[in-house]
Amino acid sequence: MNKAVKKIILKTKKQVYGDMLGNNASLFQGEGFEFAELREYVYGDDVRKIDWKTTAKLGKPFVKIYKEERELNVVVVSMLGGSVYFGTVKQKSDIIAEVVATLGFSAVKNSDLFSHMIFADQLYEASKASKKLFSVHKAVEDVFAFDPIGKEGDFSALVETLHNRLKKKSLLFIVSDFVGDIDLKLLSKKHDVFAVMVRDRFEENPSELGYLRLIDMESKQSFEGDVNSATLKNYKKALHDNDEKLYKQFKKQGIRFSKIYTHEEPALKLMKRMR
């Protein structure tokens, strides 16, 4: 185990089992429950559990009561195309490794099943579901060992592969920078999908760089160009349109998401978003 992997494992394990997240039962609070009955709202109930349809019909608030299932099936998929080989503070791939560790340790701590996959243009790694800490260590090592350069993220292939492989309803985390033609509708029909977007501030708001040679990390092709104000304007608009389309899809399909930048703390961001 190299130093970078060991550092991430020790850091995230301390966060999940220590003071930062240790006072909470799980990052996945509210998941792993099936509907049992309705009852009238009483002071102190979680307003997120209000059944608005019943409330509207009866004229007073009712909440959904759930019974806990035995365990969750937590599946984390790292989308490691060449575009994750970038970062001004940390590499996006390093942040992805931290996200995988945080989610993995949280699942194990909660006695849930954890499995991890690595995908790019095809499926490269797929671990068996486990409740052992070793499975999280292995997942982080796999992310670090994987070479994303020259590989293009194919979300259509990802959706088809997961649809065919995941037979059991899962809490499915897809970790990627989410740029491109993406539609997770098929997965959201069966699974509880959570998109973790990993970005660098510079790629969303780059500065003028002048004339230079660039390399596409997915195709390995190099090209020259003038990164001037007009070029940046078109680039920013394209990325903005990509994200707006994505957010609308997520909202329509009931997919939760969080965006984590390379200068941020993944565990804190995930904890805040999932509560």
Side-chain angles (χ1 to χ4, degrees):
M1 184 183 297
N2 68 38
K3 289 183 178 179
V5 172
K6 188 174 182 179
K7 183 178 180 180
I8 285 180
I9 288 175
L10 291 174
K11 172 188 173 183
T12 53
K13 189 175 181 181
K14 182 178 180 181
Q15 289 173 330
V16 173
Y17 286 87
D19 294 336
M20 184 180 293
L21 306 182
N23 292 329
N24 300 294
S26 169
L27 267 182
F28 314 136
Q29 188 177 20
E31 306 297 339
F33 294 81
E34 61 178 324
F35 175 71
E37 62 179 339
L38 285 169
R39 69 160 168 76
E40 193 171 344
Y41 175 88
V42 296
Y43 180 78
D45 282 339
D46 188 344
V47 295
R48 293 175 297 180
K49 294 180 180 178
I50 292 177
D51 186 303
W52 294 107
K53 187 176 290 186
T54 303
T55 297
K57 285 182 179 179
L58 300 180
K60 53 185 176 180
F62 277 77
V63 294
K64 292 181 178 180
I65 304 300
Y66 298 84
K67 61 180 180 181
E68 189 172 356
E69 293 178 341
R70 187 170 57 194
E71 62 189 8
L72 277 172
N73 188 43
V74 180
V75 180
V76 182
V77 182
S78 299
M79 191 65 157
L80 300 180
S83 61
V84 304
Y85 189 76
F86 177 79
T88 56
V89 180
K90 293 181 180 178
Q91 291 274 25
K92 288 191 283 184
S93 56
D94 291 349
I95 297 297
I96 290 174
E98 286 196 46
V99 170
V100 170
T102 301
L103 296 173
F105 283 131
S106 295
V108 172
K109 178 188 175 185
N110 203 44
S111 297
D112 293 322
L113 288 168
F114 166 74
S115 59
H116 176 248
M117 300 182 190
I118 290 180
F119 208 95
D121 53 328
Q122 64 182 40
L123 180 64
Y124 286 91
E125 296 281 349
S127 68
K128 292 183 179 180
S130 173
K131 296 183 180 182
K132 304 293 185 181
L133 290 173
F134 172 78
S135 63
V136 185
H137 298 180
K138 178 67 163 52
V140 178
E141 288 184 288
D142 287 345
V143 172
F144 262 85
F146 188 76
D147 182 9
I149 299 176
K151 299 178 179 68
E152 183 175 358
D154 187 338
F155 274 91
S156 295
L158 171 70
V159 170
E160 183 179 355
T161 299
L162 294 179
H163 178 68
N164 293 332
R165 288 183 67 97
L166 300 181
K167 305 301 182 183
K168 180 182 177 182
K169 182 179 179 179
S170 304
L171 175 54
L172 175 60
F173 292 89
I174 300 176
V175 194
S176 168
D177 51 15
F178 283 93
V179 178
D181 188 15
I182 301 165
D183 188 350
L184 305 179
K185 181 180 180 180
L186 186 62
L187 296 176
S188 66
K189 288 182 177 180
K190 180 178 180 181
H191 307 288
D192 184 4
V193 182
F194 194 112
V196 183
M197 304 173 66
V198 178
R199 295 275 181 87
D200 188 278
R201 284 287 189 190
F202 185 81
E203 67 182 325
E204 290 191 351
N205 188 31
S207 55
E208 293 185 43
L209 299 174
Y211 194 88
L212 74 168
R213 180 185 295 272
L214 301 170
I215 298 176
D216 185 332
M217 289 301 179
E218 292 191 340
S219 66
K220 288 186 176 180
Q221 294 182 345
S222 63
F223 56 94
E224 296 180 1
D226 187 5
V227 184
N228 53 32
S229 58
T231 303
L232 292 180
K233 183 179 179 180
N234 292 333
Y235 166 81
K236 290 178 183 179
K237 183 180 185 305
L239 186 58
H240 176 269
D241 292 346
N242 173 93
D243 290 354
E244 285 299 305
K245 179 182 177 182
L246 201 59
Y247 299 153
K248 287 180 181 178
Q249 281 189 18
F250 287 165
K251 185 176 181 180
K252 184 177 180 180
Q253 296 163 9
I255 296 173
R256 292 177 294 163
F257 70 93
S258 178
K259 181 185 285 187
I260 302 174
Y261 291 100
T262 56
H263 68 278
E264 293 182 315
E265 186 57 60
L268 288 174
K269 200 71 178 284
L270 285 171
M271 180 177 66
K272 182 178 180 180
R273 182 62 185 90
M274 296 188 68
R275 291 300 176 192

